[in-house]
Structure formats: C-alpha cells, structure tokens
C-alpha cells in the first residue's frame, strides 16, 4: 500500500494490485502494446512487466508517468480523512546491518555502473543504478535501468554491516540470488567491488560468473554518459576501462583460480 498527500493535507491511498488491474484494463481498452506504453511513460519494459506481475512495487513517480502516457487515472479519486499511521522505521533490520537512515544518506543517488562485458573480452558494459531509502521498508533499496538487456534488470535490498564495512546489493527472486559486494567508498564517493551472478551458457544452461564492478556517481565523469555495450571503438571506452580497472588494481577485489 502506498500513500499520496493531496490538497487540504488529506491522503489518498493506492493499492498495487488495484493499480495493476486498472492499468491492464486501460492497456486492453486503448489497445496498447506494453512496449509502446513503457516507451511513452519513459520506463523500461522490465519495470512495467515486473510491476504488473506484482514482483515490483509501483512508485508514485511510476504511476504519474503511466497516467500521463495513458491520459487516464490509475488511482482512486476517493479522498478520505487522514488516519494515524505507525512511524516509518529508521533502522534497517539486523540481517542488513542495523544501519540508520542518517548514517547512509551519503550513498543515496544515481550511479554509472561499469562491469566487464560477458560477451567480448576487454569490453565494458554500462548501466544506471539508483540507491534510495524505502520509507515503508525501513532500509535502502536499489534498482537498475538503461540496460540493453532490460529483461535482466535487477532490483533488491542493500545490506551495510559495520563488521566488514562493505556494501552488499542483493537481488532475491524466487530463491535465486545475485550479489554485488562493494568496498568502502573513495574520496570521490566511488565504489568498487565484485559482481556474482549467472550467465547464459550453452543452450538453457546457466553458469555462475563473477567480474569486477565500479559505481561512479552519475554526472561525475561525463555530462552525457553512454550506457550499454562499450567496446574499443567507443569514445568512452578508455575512460570507462581505466575506471573499471581500478577495482583490481587498487585491491578492492581479487579473482583467484
């Protein structure tokens, strides 16, 4: 359940299931393709599909974009009196490190994410990662976008235990996990570490794979970042490769056979 402040200080709530049902109704009524709607609403098709299937929460910003693209409301227009709500938690659960919101504000923001390409040796793969505090859940969450393979965009929770000083970006979907482990931030607020996930192998086989990864505050390197596959012919290749190489050159992670 999400909440929106409306005129007069009252609140109008929206339920994810209700929004999804209303959205499917409008898609059918207007005979829209989901890909076309996602493009018009400036969303990835993966984000739209996951929200419709209940695997990702609708955010207010997402709903507003969809309403603008549809020209139709997705939320109830019923205005109710404000109700007393329990205060939002200000500390993450113990299994995520028990961090407080003020202590982790520094990490919130958008990052240019760089990792080694799984398809071509030496090439770089770039996309956007957003880390924000989820008020209702009481901990940091992350989401990915601007990936060429949008269907594999990840999202999940952020663990920051004091013991190691590392940051863990965890995706958990039906028992399947993907993890990014990042070391302490540099003076430039950049973070480096290791990504562990599954790569498509022969046929339908999935193979465990790990590679260095770099998180750079968006806009710190270039005004117009390039996302997707970045090979040697790209104007950003040398810069991206130099930054990504720092993950191992500065001992933020190690690969051993």
């Amino acid at each position: 359940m999400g909440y929106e402040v409306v005129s007069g200080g009252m609140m109008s709530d929206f339920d994810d299931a209700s929004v999804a049902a209303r959205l499917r109704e409008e898609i059918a009524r207007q005979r829209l393709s989901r890909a076309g709607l996602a493009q018009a609403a400036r969303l990835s098709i993966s984000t739209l599909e996951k929200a419709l299937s209940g695997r990702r929460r609708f955010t207010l910003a997402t709903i507003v974009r969809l309403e603008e693209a549809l020209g139709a409301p997705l939320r109830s227009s019923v205005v109710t009196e404000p109700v007393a709500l329990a205060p939002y938690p200000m500390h993450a659960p113990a299994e995520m490190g028990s961090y407080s919101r003020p202590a982790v504000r520094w990490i919130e923001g958008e990052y240019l994410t760089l990792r080694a390409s799984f398809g071509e040796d030496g090439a770089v793969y770039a996309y956007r990662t957003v880390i924000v505090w989820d008020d209702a859940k009481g901990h940091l969450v992350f989401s990915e976008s601007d990936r060429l393979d949008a269907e594999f965009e990840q999202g999940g929770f952020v663990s920051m235990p004091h013991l190691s000083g590392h940051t863990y970006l965890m995706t958990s979907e039906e028992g399947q996990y993907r993890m990014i482990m990042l070391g302490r931030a540099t003076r430039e607020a950049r973070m480096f570490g290791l990504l562990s996930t599954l790569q498509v192998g022969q046929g339908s086989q999935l193979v465990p794979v790990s590679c260095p990864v770099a998180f750079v505050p968006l806009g710190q390197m270039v005004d117009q970042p390039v996302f997707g596959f970045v090979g040697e012919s790209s104007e950003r290749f040398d810069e991206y490769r130099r930054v990504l190489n720092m993950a191992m050159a500065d001992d933020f992670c190690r690969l051993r056979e």
Side-chain angles (χ1 to χ4, degrees), residues 44-47 50 56 115-119 125-128 144-154 178 195 197-200 227-229:
S44 72
I45 184 63
S46 173
T47 296
K50 288 181 179 179
R56 176 174 294 182
R115 67 159 170 80
S117 168
F118 295 155
Y125 192 78
Y127 54 93
R128 183 196 311 264
E144 299 174 354
S145 61
D146 293 293
R147 286 181 54 158
L148 286 177
D149 52 348
E151 67 272 20
F152 294 113
E153 287 178 354
Q154 305 287 322
R178 189 202 71 166
L195 178 152
T197 186
L198 295 174
Q199 180 184 6
V200 177
F227 296 112
F229 177 82

Side-chain angles (χ1 to χ4, degrees), residues 112-204:
L112 170 65
T113 306
L114 307 174
R115 67 159 170 80
S117 168
F118 295 155
E120 181 176 320
D121 291 342
V124 178
Y125 192 78
Y127 54 93
R128 183 196 311 264
T129 301
V130 178
I131 300 177
V132 296
W133 181 274
D134 187 309
D135 284 322
K137 295 179 179 178
H139 59 76
L140 292 168
V141 296
F142 77 95
S143 60
E144 299 174 354
S145 61
D146 293 293
R147 286 181 54 158
L148 286 177
D149 52 348
E151 67 272 20
F152 294 113
E153 287 178 354
Q154 305 287 322
F157 64 88
V158 180
S159 177
M160 297 181 69
H162 295 291
L163 187 62
S164 69
H166 282 65
T167 298
Y168 302 80
L169 276 63
M170 303 292 299
T171 298
S172 173
E173 187 172 329
E174 298 180 355
Q176 182 170 295
Y177 288 84
R178 189 202 71 166
M179 180 180 71
I180 295 177
M181 186 189 306
L182 300 170
R184 295 181 184 274
T186 66
R187 295 177 63 180
E188 297 84 9
R190 299 180 180 186
M191 294 178 287
F192 301 88
L194 196 69
L195 178 152
S196 294
T197 186
L198 295 174
Q199 180 184 6
V200 177
Q202 296 181 357
S204 60

Side-chain angles (χ1 to χ4, degrees), residues 48-83:
L48 180 60
E49 293 286 0
K50 288 181 179 179
L52 280 169
S53 66
R55 290 182 293 152
R56 176 174 294 182
R57 294 286 307 276
F58 281 99
T59 66
L60 181 56
T62 297
I63 293 175
V64 170
R65 287 186 180 185
L66 288 167
E67 289 177 331
E68 291 176 348
L70 290 166
L74 298 175
R75 295 162 289 176
S76 171
S77 59
V78 177
V79 178
T80 60
E81 292 296 326
V83 295

